[in-house]
Amino acid sequence: MDLIKLDLQNDIMIKALLPLYQTYEAEISEEELLELFPPDTPLNDMLAEMHGYFEGKPVYICVVDGAYKGFVSYHMDTKDTPGFADGYEGWGHLSDIFIDKDSRKQGMGKMLVEKAEEGLGKLGIKGIYLTDIVGNDKFWVSLGYVDTGKIEPDEGGRIYEKI
């Protein structure tokens, strides 16, 4: 199991990440997946969409035997780069994390979160927050995150924080 940083200039990496990214979006919302990638969307358009989405965010990919099995992306919330919830300027935001269903419960999620926390820690953040849309509360609590009881207004996920 290795972690590699996504190079947005490397089309081979982006193409390899695309199926995993689409599975991630479909798990959150089939409607959102169809909005992002309508049927018959040309490959170049899909890659451009993904490139734009990850632009400015470090993305780490978990690789097992040459196959992409999961990823995490993060950034620091600023006025210019806000996250999905209000009131978190100066906080680190775990904006995306996904592990392929067949690869879960093998430590990949923890490894990806720790990598993101390490990167965010270097930015002088106040704390880290995330929005859990799919109900992974036990996972987040096991990593020291606290359920704030707040619901993110756009996607309806629970907000977790870690100081």
Side-chain angles (χ1 to χ4, degrees), residues 71-87:
F71 65 91
V72 66
S73 71
Y74 59 90
H75 69 275
M76 181 174 172
D77 274 18
T78 65
K79 282 185 180 181
D80 295 330
T81 312
F84 299 128
D86 293 331

Side-chain angles (χ1 to χ4, degrees), residues 58-132:
V59 179
Y60 285 90
I61 304 163
C62 188
V63 182
V64 178
D65 297 327
Y68 289 10
K69 297 295 185 177
F71 65 91
V72 66
S73 71
Y74 59 90
H75 69 275
M76 181 174 172
D77 274 18
T78 65
K79 282 185 180 181
D80 295 330
T81 312
F84 299 128
D86 293 331
Y88 286 97
E89 190 172 318
W91 284 66
H93 179 211
L94 283 178
S95 48
D96 305 286
I97 183 165
F98 179 74
I99 305 296
D100 179 72
K101 282 187 180 195
D102 295 334
S103 301
R104 294 178 184 171
K105 304 216 184 268
Q106 297 177 26
M108 291 178 206
K110 180 180 179 183
M111 189 167 65
L112 287 166
V113 170
E114 287 173 349
K115 185 68 174 176
E117 289 175 346
E118 177 186 314
L120 288 167
K122 294 176 183 176
L123 300 177
I125 56 170
K126 297 176 184 177
I128 300 173
Y129 82 98
L130 62 99
T131 303
D132 180 8

